């Protein structure tokens, strides 16, 4: 997840530097082609590394769910049946929709950020990219802190709900401060927004793994990404049209309304932490033989 966010951060930072705002269309096309050739080169190098370096699977299962799947005969596992079971899980479906709403808002905001910033701050293309970088870097910090908090407290629903509500509040503050005329205020509010909105992304995956155990985490995370892409496309197109007709504030309020809906829906998700329950049962099972053998040792010591 951190490498994914780092890629987004570079996407905000590098294009405004490589493609300056010039009137000459030939120069603009030249700079864009340079950027695309660089992207193609990096993508090709990564493809070669994947083919050469990556193995089919790790030597040991990365999780308990994967261990259970690998212990079954291959013919007993059905990817389609796994998806159908997930779609019958009401808590996961709620999470899938709320994750899509939050991440879709992030995708829309990221896509239209340059347009919104330049509308209020002309000739600030480079700073628009830096604002996007600030959003992602603060989100990486948020993801790290929330992950450490989850590992310590195991409060998956509470943490997810708090971060969701804070994303809503951050979006509201960003909406009403964007046009104040002070670019440093936009940096601050965008950083706070990114801390919670981008920091929410790994929380969704972890919460989904808890709700769907023992299903494969790859299947649940795949469905979350599908939801995010669908809502991201819909929100980007819709917000773009709203900005065209009603301005940036109306477009951002459009996203705020869906973050509010997502916050309400998140409150209805039941914290059915199946993976944690399985871990507790496993520890209890391991402790049982030790408890049974303890009296025997005691009797032997008396003899």
């Amino acid at each position: 997840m951190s490498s994914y966010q780092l890629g987004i951060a570079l996407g905000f930072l590098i294009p405004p530097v490589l493609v300056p705002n010039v009137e000459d269309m030939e120069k603009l096309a030249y700079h864009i082609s340079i950027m695309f050739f660089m992207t193609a080169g990096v993508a090709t190098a990564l493809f070669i590394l994947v083919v050469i370096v990556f193995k089919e699977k790790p030597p040991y299962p990365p999780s308990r769910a994967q261990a259970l799947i690998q212990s079954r005969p291959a013919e007993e596992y059905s990817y389609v049946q796994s998806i159908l079971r997930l779609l019958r899980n009401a808590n996961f479906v709620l999470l899938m929709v709320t994750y899509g709403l939050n991440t879709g808002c992030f995708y829309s905001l990221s896509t239209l950020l340059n347009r919104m910033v330049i509308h209020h701050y002309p000739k600030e293309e480079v700073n628009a990219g830096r604002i996007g970088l600030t959003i992602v870097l603060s989100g990486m910090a948020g993801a790290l802190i929330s992950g450490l908090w989850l590992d310590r407290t195991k409060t998956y629903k509470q943490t997810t709900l708090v971060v969701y509500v804070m994303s809503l509040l951050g979006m509201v503050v960003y909406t009403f401060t964007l046009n104040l005329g002070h670019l440093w205020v936009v940096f601050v509010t965008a950083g706070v927004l990114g801390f919670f909105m981008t920091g929410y992304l790994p929380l969704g995956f972890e919460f989904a793994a808890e709700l769907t155990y023992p299903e494969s985490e790859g299947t649940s995370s795949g469905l979350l990404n599908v939801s995010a892409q669908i809502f991201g496309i819909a929100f980007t197109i819709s917000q773009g049209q709203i900005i065209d007709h009603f301005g940036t504030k109306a477009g951002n309020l459009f996203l705020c309304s869906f973050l509010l809906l997502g916050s309400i829906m998140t409150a209805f998700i039941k914290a059915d932490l199946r993976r944690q329950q399985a871990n507790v049962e496993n520890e209890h099972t391991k402790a049982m033989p030790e408890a049974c053998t303890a009296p025997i040792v005691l009797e032997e010591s008396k003899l």
Side-chain angles (χ1 to χ4, degrees), residues 90-147:
N91 291 317
F92 174 73
V93 171
L94 276 174
L95 178 63
M96 184 171 66
V97 174
T98 57
Y99 183 90
L101 291 173
N102 190 301
T103 312
C105 288
F106 170 69
Y107 288 164
S108 180
L109 176 69
S110 302
T111 304
L112 301 173
L113 178 65
N114 187 76
R115 178 177 170 185
M116 289 187 287
V117 171
I118 293 177
H119 176 76
H120 294 286
Y121 305 91
K123 306 297 182 179
E124 293 288 354
E125 292 85 1
V126 174
N127 275 324
R130 290 171 179 167
I131 292 171
L133 177 66
T134 302
I135 291 175
V136 177
L137 292 181
S138 61
M140 293 173 67
L144 176 62
I145 293 172
S146 60

Side-chain angles (χ1 to χ4, degrees), residues 191-254:
V192 174
L193 173 61
F195 183 86
F196 293 105
M197 183 175 281
T198 315
Y200 170 82
L201 303 183
L203 291 179
F205 290 119
E206 285 297 316
F207 198 13
E210 290 290 337
L211 295 175
T212 60
Y213 180 86
E215 302 295 340
S216 171
E217 297 94 336
T219 306
S220 61
S221 61
L223 290 176
L224 292 184
N225 280 323
V226 169
S227 176
Q229 298 298 327
I230 292 173
F231 280 109
I233 293 171
F235 287 170
T236 302
I237 295 174
S238 301
Q239 188 185 12
Q241 292 295 317
I242 292 173
I243 291 175
D244 287 339
H245 293 88
F246 303 102
T248 57
K249 182 176 291 186
N252 287 328
L253 287 174
F254 167 78

Side-chain angles (χ1 to χ4, degrees), residues 7-22:
I8 296 177
L10 293 176
F12 277 121
L13 182 63
I14 296 176
V17 177
L18 294 179
V19 185
N21 187 8
V22 295

Side-chain angles (χ1 to χ4, degrees), residues 8-210:
I8 296 177
L10 293 176
F12 277 121
L13 182 63
I14 296 176
V17 177
L18 294 179
V19 185
N21 187 8
V22 295
E23 298 294 335
D24 191 332
M25 297 303 294
E26 291 187 2
K27 288 185 178 179
L28 184 64
Y30 170 77
H31 288 293
I32 292 176
S33 65
I34 293 297
M35 183 183 68
F36 283 164
F37 280 126
M38 291 177 62
T39 304
V42 172
T44 302
L46 292 176
F47 172 74
I48 294 173
L49 286 175
V50 169
V51 172
I52 297 175
V53 177
F54 277 45
K55 298 180 180 179
E56 181 180 358
K57 59 182 180 180
Y60 303 103
S63 65
R64 187 181 298 276
Q66 287 296 320
L68 288 174
I69 292 173
Q70 294 180 19
S71 65
R72 304 173 190 166
E75 59 273 10
E76 290 185 8
Y77 177 75
S78 171
Y79 180 71
V80 175
Q81 290 299 320
S82 178
I83 292 178
L84 293 177
R85 284 192 296 269
L86 291 178
L87 295 178
R88 289 193 293 265
N89 185 332
N91 291 317
F92 174 73
V93 171
L94 276 174
L95 178 63
M96 184 171 66
V97 174
T98 57
Y99 183 90
L101 291 173
N102 190 301
T103 312
C105 288
F106 170 69
Y107 288 164
S108 180
L109 176 69
S110 302
T111 304
L112 301 173
L113 178 65
N114 187 76
R115 178 177 170 185
M116 289 187 287
V117 171
I118 293 177
H119 176 76
H120 294 286
Y121 305 91
K123 306 297 182 179
E124 293 288 354
E125 292 85 1
V126 174
N127 275 324
R130 290 171 179 167
I131 292 171
L133 177 66
T134 302
I135 291 175
V136 177
L137 292 181
S138 61
M140 293 173 67
L144 176 62
I145 293 172
S146 60
L148 293 173
W149 176 259
L150 277 186
D151 186 61
R152 183 180 182 86
T153 65
K154 311 301 182 186
T155 53
Y156 288 86
K157 177 182 175 178
Q158 296 90 327
T159 304
T160 302
L161 180 58
V162 168
V163 172
Y164 213 120
V165 172
M166 294 305 296
S167 298
L168 168 61
L169 295 178
M171 188 68 203
V172 172
V173 173
Y174 169 81
T175 299
F176 288 98
T177 58
L178 179 62
N179 60 350
L180 293 182
H182 302 290
L183 200 58
W184 68 269
V185 175
V186 182
F187 271 94
V188 173
T189 56
V192 174
L193 173 61
F195 183 86
F196 293 105
M197 183 175 281
T198 315
Y200 170 82
L201 303 183
L203 291 179
F205 290 119
E206 285 297 316
F207 198 13
E210 290 290 337

